[in-house]
Amino acid sequence: MTHPAQALVEATIAGIESADTDSIESAILHHQSLTKPVGSLGRLEELGATLCGIQRQVPPTVERVHVVIFAADHGIT
């Protein structure tokens, strides 16, 4: 007998699709057309393009934004 939580996890995993490569490519081309040095936003450009691929649209939409700040003094960066 399958536990309800296991069934939910399996159904969720089955519903995951791979990112849309056309949307990612469109986002990259859009980033390259902006008036800024190519790649100047670093990892943020890559994350934005990935988000476009996941949402299958350019530009992506973000309805609720959260900012999380971590700080520590234990020497690990």
Side-chain angles (χ1 to χ4, degrees):
M1 184 170 140
T2 303
H3 190 278
Q6 181 181 351
L8 176 61
V9 169
E10 290 173 0
T12 301
I13 291 171
I16 296 174
E17 299 177 17
S18 60
D20 178 44
T21 55
D22 290 336
S23 296
I24 293 172
E25 191 63 34
S26 293
I28 292 169
L29 292 173
H30 175 70
H31 290 158
Q32 292 173 349
S33 73
L34 298 175
T35 307
K36 62 166 189 61
V38 174
S40 63
L41 297 178
R43 180 106 167 92
L44 187 58
E45 291 181 19
E46 180 184 338
L47 292 171
T50 301
L51 184 58
C52 288
I54 292 168
Q55 292 185 358
R56 302 181 182 285
Q57 63 182 15
V58 178
T61 58
V62 181
E63 294 178 15
R64 296 183 339 170
V65 177
H66 300 278
V67 176
V68 180
I69 299 173
F70 296 89
D73 63 355
H74 50 66
I76 297 175
T77 58

